[in-house]
Amino acid sequence: AGDGSGLVPGDGTDPPAPERVLFPPTFNVSEIKNKQRRHFMFLRWKQQQRKEKLALKKKRRKEREALGDKAPPKAIPKTIENQRVYDETTVDPNDEEVAFDEATDEFAPYFNRQTVPKILITTSDRPRGRTVRFCEQLATVIPNSHVYYRRGLALKRIIPQCIARDFTDLIVINEDRKIPNGLVLSHLPDGPTAHFRMSSVRLRKEIKRKGKEPTEHVPEVILNNFTTRLGHSIGRMFAALFPHDPQFIGRQVATFHNQRDYIFFRFHRYIFKSEKKVGIQELGPRFTLKLRSLQKGTFDSKFGEYEWIHKRREMDTSRRKFHL
Amino acid sequence: VVWSMLGNRQFCSYKMATKTQNFCRNEYNLTGLCNRSSCPLANSQYATVREEKGRCYLYMKTIERAAFPRRLWERVLLSKNYEKALEEIDENLIYWPRFIRHKCKQRFTKITQYLIRIRKLTLKRQRKLVPLRRKIERRENRREEKALIAAQLDNAIEKELLERLKQDTYGDIYNFPIHAFDKALQQQDAESESESEAEREEDDDDDDEDVDRREFVEAEDSELSDFEDMDKLETSSEEEQEAEEEVEKKASHSKSKGKTPLKGPARRKRPHIEIEYEEETEPSTKTKAA
C-alpha cells in the first residue's frame, strides 16, 4: 500500500501513527512545494528503496546458499546479442545450398587458389594528408597492394584498365573534410562492390603502445561473427583481399570483427607466451566500417544492380535487428 | 535630379553598402557598383549585357521610351560567335558614350568565359554533396561505441588464436610441452588395447612410472640437452628428428622470449625421459608411436 509503508513492514495495515515516520499511502514526494523539504524527503525515500533492495538481494542470496546444489541456475543477463531478432538468412554451417553457392560465386577462383589477390588502393579527388597516410599504411597491411592517386580520373574508366593489368580488387577511400569517411571495395573481374561508411580511423602513430611496423609477411585473417548470408558474402570479400597462405613466421593477424553491424578492423602481432596465453600487440591502422550497400557488378552508381541497400526507414526500426 | 535624390543622399533600395564600397543590386546594372555613371535609374541612356539560358542579350534603354516602363528596355540577341557579337555590340551602341560601350564589351567577355566554364564542368564528374543528418550521425556514433565495448576485441582475438593453436593450424612452429603431452595422453586413452601393444606398453609405462621413476630419470637425463628433449615431444610431426631439432632450435631462438626452452625440459623430464631412451635406440618406433 503506497510507497512509504515499507519502513515498518509489519504495520502496513495499521493507520499511520503520528509518531512513526511513515509516508501516507497516497503521498508522492514530488508534491511538496518547498524545494528543500522536497529534496530531503526524496533522499529519505531513496534510502528506503535502497535498503529494501539490499534486503531483497540478501534474502535471495541466502536462499540460494541454502539450496546449495539444487539452486536454480543463475539467470543470464539479457544482452542485445542475446535478444537479437532471429534472421532467417543466418547461415547454418552445414547448409548445402550455401556451400554450393560459395563454390560457384565470384570468389571461387580465389578460394580454389587459382588467383592471387592484387589490390589497387586509391582515393577520391585531391586527397588530404590524413587520407594519404592512411592509404600508405593500409598498403603496408595488405600484401600485394599498390596505391595510385586519382588525379581526376573517372572510376568507370580506370576499372577496365585495372582489369587489363590483372588487379583483383579495387579499394577507393572517400574523403570528406580531410578525413577518410567512406570505403568502396570492389572485386574486379565483375565482382560485387560493397560501399561502406568508415569511421574512427586511427593511424599508426595515434595508437598507443604500438609495436614496430608491419613486416612484409602475409598476415592471417580472422573473420568474426559474420552470420547471415549477407555477412557471409562480405566476409568472403574481405578474405579475398589477403593471399590464401598466411606466413606464420610473421605472427601477424588482421581481424575483421562484426558486432551489431559494425565491422571493426584491427591489425595485431601475436605471440604465444604459453599454451593457454597469447599476447597481442596492436600495430597497423584501425578503422570501423558499416555496410551501406552491396552491388552485384562493379562500381556503377546509376545502372548497377543492388543486392542490398541500407534503407534507414525500413531497416533501422528495431534495436535488436542486425543484418550482417 | 534622380541621382541627387537616390545616389548620395536618400535611400535607394538597390544600394548595398559595405565598408569600402557601394554596390548596386539592380539587375540591369552594368558594373555592379553604385556610381553616378553606372546607375540604370539615374542615366536615361543606358545599356547592359545579360545572359539567359546560355544566350547573351544586349539591353538598351533610351530617353524616348522613358515614359513607357513596359517598353523601356530593348533587347537584342547577340550571336554565339565571340567576335561577331562584339561587332554587334559596337554597331548597336554606335554614337553611345565610350564608357558604356567599353563596359558592355567587358561584361560580355566575362559572361562568355563563365559560360564556357560551366559547360566544361558539366562534362566532368560532378561531386554530389549529400547532407549529413545530425541525429543519425550521433545515433550511429553512439551505437558504434557501444558495439565496440560489447565486442571485447582483444579477448575475441586471443580466443580465436588459441583455438587455432589447439587445432594445430600452426603445425610445428610452436612447441608447448604440456599441450603435446596432454594430446599424447588423450590419444593413448582413446586407443584400444588391441593395437600395437609394444607402443601401448611403452606409453603406459611412461604414465604409470611417472610417479615412481622420477628420481631415476632425472639423474639419467641430466646429460641430455634441453632442446633435444623438446624436440622429442613433437608427436604430430613425422619429419626426421634431426631436421626437427634444428628447426625447433631455430624457432625457439628466433622468438625473443626464451621461456619455452626453460619450461619444456623441466616439465618433460619426468615423463619423457623414457621416450628419450627409446628414441636413441630405435628412432623408427618413436615415429610410429607419434
Side-chain angles (χ1 to χ4, degrees):
Chain A
D3 30 15
S5 49
L7 249 189
V8 187
D11 290 338
T13 50
D14 290 348
E19 60 267 354
R20 272 195 259 261
V21 186
L22 270 186
F23 292 113
T26 54
F27 173 76
N28 197 355
V29 183
S30 58
E31 278 171 5
I32 307 179
K33 297 280 185 172
N34 186 335
K35 181 167 177 176
Q36 217 172 17
R37 224 186 295 157
R38 188 171 66 230
H39 183 62
F40 178 69
M41 281 296 172
F42 175 71
L43 288 179
R44 200 138 35 119
W45 179 78
K46 261 297 200 202
Q47 274 176 7
Q48 215 179 74
Q49 298 289 93
R50 246 180 272 147
K51 258 195 240 169
E52 286 175 21
K53 192 170 170 190
L54 208 58
L56 197 58
K57 261 197 194 164
K58 267 198 187 156
K59 197 170 68 158
R60 251 197 238 137
R61 193 157 20 110
K62 280 220 177 94
E63 283 176 14
R64 226 194 143 68
E65 282 169 17
L67 283 180
D69 278 334
K70 290 180 282 173
K74 259 193 179 171
I76 312 171
K78 294 187 195 174
T79 63
I80 292 188
E81 283 78 27
N82 283 346
Q83 309 292 96
R84 177 178 174 174
V85 166
Y86 176 71
D87 199 339
E88 61 258 359
T89 61
T90 309
V91 172
D92 185 26
N94 309 326
D95 203 346
E96 284 174 359
E97 187 190 326
V98 173
F100 177 70
D101 273 343
E102 290 183 358
T104 53
D105 76 349
E106 291 103 353
F107 296 107
Y110 165 77
F111 282 104
N112 293 338
R113 291 166 199 244
Q114 286 165 8
T115 54
V116 174
K118 188 173 173 203
I119 298 165
L120 178 69
I121 304 181
T122 182
T123 65
S124 54
D125 275 346
R126 300 188 155 267
R128 312 298 288 184
R130 246 185 103 90
T131 318
V132 170
R133 265 174 278 147
F134 176 65
C135 280
E136 290 169 18
Q137 289 181 8
L138 202 58
T140 57
V141 164
I142 305 179
N144 206 3
S145 59
H146 307 265
V147 182
Y148 284 111
Y149 293 113
R150 198 66 152 326
R151 291 161 184 258
L153 299 168
L155 263 185
K156 284 197 216 159
R157 250 170 256 155
I158 68 174
I159 285 181
Q161 284 185 23
C162 284
I163 301 182
R165 293 190 200 183
D166 246 2
F167 279 100
T168 56
D169 288 279
L170 173 68
I171 297 181
V172 183
I173 297 183
N174 191 43
E175 185 199 350
D176 173 52
R177 273 197 224 149
K178 303 177 196 170
I179 47 165
N181 74 343
L183 184 100
V184 176
L185 169 59
S186 176
H187 189 73
L188 272 187
D190 221 31
T193 308
H195 179 33
F196 297 94
R197 175 191 120 102
M198 183 154 51
S199 44
S200 316
V201 176
R202 302 278 174 263
L203 301 177
R204 287 200 72 241
K205 64 177 181 182
E206 291 158 11
I207 298 179
K208 299 179 186 164
R209 289 188 291 271
K210 64 172 188 304
K212 299 191 182 158
E213 282 194 11
T215 59
E216 288 290 321
H217 295 115
V218 173
E220 294 175 50
V221 181
I222 293 182
L223 298 165
N224 268 347
N225 268 352
F226 288 96
T227 48
T228 63
R229 280 300 290 272
L230 180 65
H232 226 61
S233 45
I234 301 281
R236 300 184 95 227
M237 273 190 101
F238 286 131
L241 288 177
F242 294 89
H244 218 279
D245 301 307
Q247 293 171 320
F248 297 124
I249 335 171
R251 283 188 286 130
Q252 290 173 142
V253 59
T255 311
F256 292 90
H257 181 105
N258 170 39
Q259 186 84 13
R260 302 183 194 176
D261 278 357
Y262 288 96
I263 303 173
F264 299 100
F265 171 83
R266 299 286 185 271
F267 193 75
H268 291 279
R269 176 168 281 140
Y270 62 88
I271 184 163
F272 284 106
K273 293 186 201 158
S274 80
E275 182 187 288
K276 307 272 179 179
K277 262 180 36 160
V278 59
I280 55 176
Q281 189 188 40
E282 180 159 11
L283 2 144
R286 64 155 84 158
F287 51 89
T288 334
L289 299 173
K290 184 161 203 263
L291 181 67
R292 268 218 276 228
S293 67
L294 181 65
Q295 239 181 14
K296 264 232 154 76
T298 54
F299 181 74
D300 196 336
S301 44
K302 282 192 231 165
F303 306 111
E305 179 195 338
Y306 279 94
E307 215 176 289
W308 188 85
I309 312 183
H310 179 109
K311 293 196 183 132
R312 188 172 53 88
R313 282 177 180 256
E314 300 167 13
M315 298 182 181
D316 268 357
T317 47
S318 161
R319 278 180 213 245
R320 292 162 190 63
K321 182 164 191 302
F322 305 114
H323 312 283
L324 274 189
Chain B
V1 171
V2 177
W3 182 250
S4 59
M5 287 289 113
L6 295 180
N8 283 334
R9 303 202 284 124
Q10 288 201 1
F11 182 73
C12 172
S13 70
Y14 294 107
K15 179 170 167 186
M16 280 201 308
T18 53
K19 263 193 265 181
T20 46
Q21 221 175 27
N22 291 336
F23 290 105
C24 183
R25 263 193 308 135
N26 195 327
E27 40 191 30
Y28 289 100
N29 189 314
L30 192 53
T31 54
L33 312 171
C34 189
N35 287 332
R36 175 67 182 86
S37 48
S38 32
C39 186
L41 306 171
N43 294 313
S44 38
Q45 196 184 42
Y46 202 75
T48 331
V49 177
R50 279 172 69 192
E51 64 94 21
E52 200 174 324
K53 296 201 182 118
R55 299 304 309 272
C56 296
Y57 297 93
L58 174 65
Y59 286 78
M60 292 180 287
K61 157 179 155 173
T62 44
I63 198 166
E64 289 97 19
R65 297 194 300 268
F68 312 108
R70 249 176 83 221
R71 292 178 252 161
L72 187 56
W73 290 96
E74 177 191 344
R75 170 162 113 162
V76 171
L77 177 66
L78 298 172
S79 103
K80 275 197 179 171
N81 189 342
Y82 181 69
E83 283 102 27
K84 261 204 184 165
L86 285 181
E87 286 171 9
E88 283 177 14
I89 292 179
D90 259 335
E91 77 181 58
N92 271 311
L93 296 183
I94 199 170
Y95 306 131
W96 280 56
R98 220 179 320 142
F99 174 77
I100 294 186
R101 253 186 291 149
H102 185 232
K103 288 294 180 187
C104 272
K105 287 190 252 181
Q106 273 189 340
R107 198 181 162 93
F108 173 70
T109 314
K110 259 292 182 301
I111 289 180
T112 47
Q113 282 172 353
Y114 83 60
L115 284 177
I116 292 173
R117 206 160 2 106
I118 290 178
R119 285 194 286 257
K120 234 194 267 179
L121 279 182
T122 52
L123 286 179
K124 274 193 183 176
R125 296 156 321 122
Q126 304 273 40
R127 195 174 284 228
K128 187 173 164 199
L129 293 175
V130 174
L132 287 180
R133 307 261 173 95
R134 203 179 312 169
K135 213 176 179 183
I136 296 176
E137 290 294 307
R138 268 195 282 157
R139 203 205 306 167
E140 298 207 329
N141 288 340
R142 238 181 306 135
R143 290 208 180 151
E144 184 188 324
E145 284 166 16
K146 296 197 174 169
L148 183 63
I149 296 173
Q152 293 176 347
L153 285 169
D154 290 341
N155 290 348
I157 297 179
E158 288 173 9
K159 248 202 283 182
E160 176 69 30
L161 288 171
L162 287 171
E163 274 285 322
R164 290 190 181 180
L165 181 68
K166 269 205 197 128
Q167 287 169 4
D168 239 4
T169 44
Y170 299 127
D172 295 338
I173 311 178
Y174 298 108
N175 205 358
F176 288 118
I178 302 183
H179 179 57
F181 180 58
D182 284 345
K183 257 199 355 189
L185 255 186
Q186 283 170 19
Q187 281 178 6
Q188 292 161 21
D189 295 341
E191 287 173 9
S192 58
E193 289 190 349
S194 57
E195 292 184 2
S196 53
E197 289 184 40
E199 296 171 5
R200 295 251 71 213
E201 281 175 1
E202 288 172 15
D203 293 329
D204 285 344
D205 285 347
D206 289 340
D207 296 335
D208 297 339
E209 294 162 357
D210 205 5
V211 184
D212 303 334
R213 281 207 194 172
R214 260 176 226 172
E215 305 108 310
F216 287 140
V217 173
E218 279 172 19
E220 292 165 343
D221 198 37
S222 51
E223 300 161 9
L224 297 171
S225 73
D226 293 349
F227 293 127
E228 288 179 15
D229 269 329
M230 274 175 19
D231 297 339
K232 310 313 180 196
L233 259 190
E234 275 298 327
T235 52
S236 53
S237 70
E238 297 187 355
E239 297 169 10
E240 291 296 318
Q241 281 153 7
E242 291 173 356
E244 242 189 340
E245 285 177 24
E246 289 171 14
V247 169
E248 305 287 28
K249 279 185 192 171
K250 281 181 197 162
S252 46
H253 279 307
S254 63
K255 277 196 200 171
S256 50
K257 305 197 179 182
K259 284 187 189 170
T260 37
L262 290 177
K263 276 189 191 170
R267 280 192 201 151
R268 289 192 204 179
K269 269 186 187 170
R270 301 184 234 127
H272 292 289
I273 291 166
E274 287 281 343
I275 298 178
E276 285 273 352
Y277 254 170
E278 257 76 273
E279 286 176 61
E280 284 172 10
T281 51
E282 295 173 325
S284 49
T285 50
K286 167 62 180 174
T287 51
K288 276 188 209 162

